[in-house]
Amino acid sequence: MNELPKSVGFKMPAEASPLGFRQIPQKVLLEVEGLRRHFDEGDAAAVERVSFAMGEGELLALLGPSGCGKTTTLRMIGGFERPDAGTIRLRGRDITDLPPEKRGIGFVFQDYALFPHLDVLENVKFGLRGLGRAAAEARAHEMLRLVGLEGLGARRPHELSGGQQQRVALARTLAVAPPLVLLDEPFSNLDAAMRVETRQEVRKLLKRAGSAAILVTHDQEEALALADRIAVIEAGRVVQIGTPDEIYLNPVSAFVASFIGRSNIVPGTANGMDADTAFGRLPLSRAANGKVSIAVRPEQIMLEPDPNGPAAVVGREFRGHDQLYWVQEGERCMLVISGPGAQIDVGQRVRLRICDCVVPLN
């Protein structure tokens, strides 16, 4: 069995992790090495030396802000964009120069790309034209059962909800049993409640079908909820790759710390496993020395009402399950998240207490 190479920028989690990391298959499915794409002379490359590997059945999210190169990377893997440099291998076979239809990769488009003149069953059967009629029909019905749309085969796409259309698109892709499915912002056309429900359905369906998938998204919550691992992309480069737990708890840079969740970035002077900061001496999650920037998550800070406190609440947002506070101390404004319990009013004086290990950044 081929093992995932250690040279592609991630560490496989231990069999039993105290952080509950999702288990990653060890057999290599896809290897991307040194992928580069440059569109206009004089501009920075859209994708610059992107390398990663993923396992059979794994769900990987490419996460980053608009224009960071994640969709271009996905399109190069799918064969819709030609790389200027680099290699793409699927199950050990070099597919870098193959057209999309010869790669054996499924693609779910942002707008689902369903045929409006065909009913649901015919849409799902569309990619099965190489099978006999009876076999194609049986396979299409099997896929509709898999995605929970049995009995809706005679409907047209416009007669379905957005979430149902998404499942039809996925059923059509999975019908040809691709080892890898590419999803480009697949939930962007859904409302917030439907997005949460549909992404969990999609995760279950992909796992049940045994297909690996690469999801492109700029939505951090979506990536954390859906993916086994996340590759964070900044300005065309993969800056960190790991499980959702690893990325959130141990960001390697201020960009990752601020993009995955929210972070307060504070200066400090590190000495091994501690750092001196404006909030006193704080324990670090990993060793560091000298001047450092430190990521402090809003939920790691406790607010203590104190009429003589050095800080003041300057903003508050009630969000039901928690409350978000903006707290001013001198020239620094800190973001704090607390439970929905006792409310602290805007204008009230407080003290800030950091109650957990904090992360020194590269």
Side-chain angles (χ1 to χ4, degrees), residues 41 59 74-75 108 127 155 165 212-213 217 251 266-267 270 285 320 341 351 359:
E41 280 192 40
L59 305 186
L74 194 77
R75 288 178 61 81
V108 178
R155 293 192 185 182
Q165 290 180 37
T217 182
V266 300
S285 63
R351 288 187 180 277
V359 181

mmCIF file of all heavy atoms in Angstrom, residues 41 59 74-75 108 127 155 165 212-213 217 251 266-267 270 285 320 341 351 359:
data_model
loop_
_atom_site.group_PDB
_atom_site.id
_atom_site.type_symbol
_atom_site.label_atom_id
_atom_site.label_comp_id
_atom_site.label_asym_id
_atom_site.label_seq_id
_atom_site.Cartn_x
_atom_site.Cartn_y
_atom_site.Cartn_z
ATOM 1 N N GLU A 41 1.400 38.701 -17.898
ATOM 2 C CA GLU A 41 2.767 39.136 -17.608
ATOM 3 C C GLU A 41 2.741 40.387 -16.751
ATOM 4 O O GLU A 41 1.934 41.279 -16.938
ATOM 5 C CB GLU A 41 3.512 39.438 -18.922
ATOM 6 C CG GLU A 41 4.037 38.185 -19.611
ATOM 7 C CD GLU A 41 4.996 38.531 -20.735
ATOM 8 O OE1 GLU A 41 5.802 39.460 -20.549
ATOM 9 O OE2 GLU A 41 4.903 37.886 -21.785
ATOM 10 N N LEU A 59 -11.926 13.800 2.191
ATOM 11 C CA LEU A 59 -12.539 15.066 1.806
ATOM 12 C C LEU A 59 -11.581 16.189 2.169
ATOM 13 O O LEU A 59 -11.263 16.394 3.342
ATOM 14 C CB LEU A 59 -13.883 15.263 2.522
ATOM 15 C CG LEU A 59 -14.915 14.143 2.361
ATOM 16 C CD1 LEU A 59 -16.241 14.540 3.007
ATOM 17 C CD2 LEU A 59 -15.125 13.793 0.897
ATOM 18 N N LEU A 74 -8.283 24.010 -8.593
ATOM 19 C CA LEU A 74 -9.292 22.985 -8.832
ATOM 20 C C LEU A 74 -9.470 22.740 -10.327
ATOM 21 O O LEU A 74 -9.564 21.590 -10.775
ATOM 22 C CB LEU A 74 -10.622 23.401 -8.210
ATOM 23 C CG LEU A 74 -11.676 22.303 -8.087
ATOM 24 C CD1 LEU A 74 -11.353 21.394 -6.905
ATOM 25 C CD2 LEU A 74 -13.068 22.886 -7.917
ATOM 26 N N ARG A 75 -9.503 23.805 -11.110
ATOM 27 C CA ARG A 75 -9.709 23.672 -12.549
ATOM 28 C C ARG A 75 -8.511 22.977 -13.212
ATOM 29 O O ARG A 75 -8.686 22.234 -14.181
ATOM 30 C CB ARG A 75 -9.955 25.047 -13.176
ATOM 31 C CG ARG A 75 -11.327 25.616 -12.822
ATOM 32 C CD ARG A 75 -11.517 27.011 -13.423
ATOM 33 N NE ARG A 75 -11.428 26.992 -14.870
ATOM 34 C CZ ARG A 75 -12.406 26.642 -15.684
ATOM 35 N NH1 ARG A 75 -13.578 26.279 -15.187
ATOM 36 N NH2 ARG A 75 -12.236 26.643 -16.989
ATOM 37 N N VAL A 108 -18.768 18.789 -9.828
ATOM 38 C CA VAL A 108 -20.075 19.369 -9.510
ATOM 39 C C VAL A 108 -19.936 20.883 -9.594
ATOM 40 O O VAL A 108 -19.217 21.494 -8.802
ATOM 41 C CB VAL A 108 -20.566 18.952 -8.108
ATOM 42 C CG1 VAL A 108 -21.903 19.620 -7.784
ATOM 43 C CG2 VAL A 108 -20.706 17.437 -8.026
ATOM 44 N N GLY A 127 -24.632 10.589 -17.830
ATOM 45 C CA GLY A 127 -23.240 10.131 -17.928
ATOM 46 C C GLY A 127 -23.093 8.636 -18.084
ATOM 47 O O GLY A 127 -21.969 8.116 -18.100
ATOM 48 N N ARG A 155 -39.656 14.375 -12.124
ATOM 49 C CA ARG A 155 -39.733 15.840 -12.019
ATOM 50 C C ARG A 155 -38.631 16.507 -12.843
ATOM 51 O O ARG A 155 -37.581 15.921 -13.103
ATOM 52 C CB ARG A 155 -39.605 16.284 -10.555
ATOM 53 C CG ARG A 155 -40.783 15.869 -9.692
ATOM 54 C CD ARG A 155 -40.735 16.584 -8.366
ATOM 55 N NE ARG A 155 -41.801 16.118 -7.481
ATOM 56 C CZ ARG A 155 -42.010 16.612 -6.265
ATOM 57 N NH1 ARG A 155 -41.221 17.567 -5.799
ATOM 58 N NH2 ARG A 155 -42.985 16.140 -5.520
ATOM 59 N N GLN A 165 -31.799 19.996 -6.002
ATOM 60 C CA GLN A 165 -31.028 20.116 -7.240
ATOM 61 C C GLN A 165 -29.558 19.778 -6.989
ATOM 62 O O GLN A 165 -28.907 19.137 -7.826
ATOM 63 C CB GLN A 165 -31.164 21.527 -7.797
ATOM 64 C CG GLN A 165 -32.542 21.847 -8.344
ATOM 65 C CD GLN A 165 -32.606 23.264 -8.883
ATOM 66 O OE1 GLN A 165 -31.666 23.768 -9.471
ATOM 67 N NE2 GLN A 165 -33.741 23.918 -8.667
ATOM 68 N N ALA A 212 -13.553 10.221 -2.906
ATOM 69 C CA ALA A 212 -12.838 11.357 -2.339
ATOM 70 C C ALA A 212 -13.380 12.632 -2.981
ATOM 71 O O ALA A 212 -13.994 12.593 -4.058
ATOM 72 C CB ALA A 212 -11.342 11.231 -2.593
ATOM 73 N N ALA A 213 -13.153 13.767 -2.339
ATOM 74 C CA ALA A 213 -13.642 15.026 -2.902
ATOM 75 C C ALA A 213 -12.727 16.167 -2.502
ATOM 76 O O ALA A 213 -12.144 16.172 -1.408
ATOM 77 C CB ALA A 213 -15.070 15.309 -2.440
ATOM 78 N N THR A 217 -13.881 26.534 -1.264
ATOM 79 C CA THR A 217 -14.777 27.420 -0.535
ATOM 80 C C THR A 217 -14.003 28.572 0.088
ATOM 81 O O THR A 217 -12.806 28.455 0.339
ATOM 82 C CB THR A 217 -15.542 26.648 0.569
ATOM 83 O OG1 THR A 217 -16.449 27.525 1.239
ATOM 84 C CG2 THR A 217 -14.588 26.046 1.594
ATOM 85 N N PRO A 251 -2.581 27.476 14.263
ATOM 86 C CA PRO A 251 -2.295 28.206 13.016
ATOM 87 C C PRO A 251 -0.825 28.594 12.964
ATOM 88 O O PRO A 251 -0.204 28.866 13.996
ATOM 89 C CB PRO A 251 -3.196 29.443 13.130
ATOM 90 C CG PRO A 251 -3.379 29.642 14.603
ATOM 91 C CD PRO A 251 -3.412 28.260 15.193
ATOM 92 N N VAL A 266 -1.510 39.733 19.309
ATOM 93 C CA VAL A 266 -0.867 40.606 20.297
ATOM 94 C C VAL A 266 0.635 40.339 20.298
ATOM 95 O O VAL A 266 1.071 39.211 20.055
ATOM 96 C CB VAL A 266 -1.455 40.393 21.707
ATOM 97 C CG1 VAL A 266 -2.945 40.691 21.712
ATOM 98 C CG2 VAL A 266 -1.213 38.978 22.207
ATOM 99 N N PRO A 267 1.462 41.365 20.578
ATOM 100 C CA PRO A 267 2.912 41.160 20.630
ATOM 101 C C PRO A 267 3.327 40.572 21.974
ATOM 102 O O PRO A 267 2.647 40.727 22.992
ATOM 103 C CB PRO A 267 3.452 42.582 20.448
ATOM 104 C CG PRO A 267 2.386 43.465 21.020
ATOM 105 C CD PRO A 267 1.084 42.780 20.739
ATOM 106 N N ALA A 270 8.836 35.821 23.875
ATOM 107 C CA ALA A 270 8.763 34.414 24.262
ATOM 108 C C ALA A 270 10.076 33.941 24.858
ATOM 109 O O ALA A 270 11.165 34.371 24.470
ATOM 110 C CB ALA A 270 8.398 33.565 23.052
ATOM 111 N N SER A 285 1.474 27.269 23.334
ATOM 112 C CA SER A 285 1.147 25.922 22.858
ATOM 113 C C SER A 285 2.361 25.230 22.252
ATOM 114 O O SER A 285 2.361 24.008 22.107
ATOM 115 C CB SER A 285 0.027 26.003 21.818
ATOM 116 O OG SER A 285 0.460 26.734 20.685
ATOM 117 N N GLY A 320 -27.428 34.852 20.394
ATOM 118 C CA GLY A 320 -28.208 33.704 20.835
ATOM 119 C C GLY A 320 -27.378 32.740 21.652
ATOM 120 O O GLY A 320 -27.477 32.699 22.876
ATOM 121 N N GLY A 341 -24.916 34.049 29.068
ATOM 122 C CA GLY A 341 -25.354 34.351 30.439
ATOM 123 C C GLY A 341 -25.350 35.832 30.760
ATOM 124 O O GLY A 341 -25.882 36.648 30.017
ATOM 125 N N ARG A 351 -11.800 43.950 33.315
ATOM 126 C CA ARG A 351 -10.449 43.412 33.196
ATOM 127 C C ARG A 351 -10.493 42.221 32.236
ATOM 128 O O ARG A 351 -11.477 41.492 32.193
ATOM 129 C CB ARG A 351 -9.913 42.952 34.553
ATOM 130 C CG ARG A 351 -9.575 44.091 35.494
ATOM 131 C CD ARG A 351 -8.895 43.604 36.775
ATOM 132 N NE ARG A 351 -8.598 44.726 37.631
ATOM 133 C CZ ARG A 351 -7.516 45.506 37.511
ATOM 134 N NH1 ARG A 351 -6.616 45.227 36.558
ATOM 135 N NH2 ARG A 351 -7.331 46.522 38.311
ATOM 136 N N VAL A 359 -1.044 30.726 20.968
ATOM 137 C CA VAL A 359 -0.200 30.200 19.889
ATOM 138 C C VAL A 359 0.766 31.269 19.387
ATOM 139 O O VAL A 359 0.340 32.331 18.919
ATOM 140 C CB VAL A 359 -1.085 29.735 18.706
ATOM 141 C CG1 VAL A 359 -0.216 29.160 17.594
ATOM 142 C CG2 VAL A 359 -2.099 28.694 19.175
#
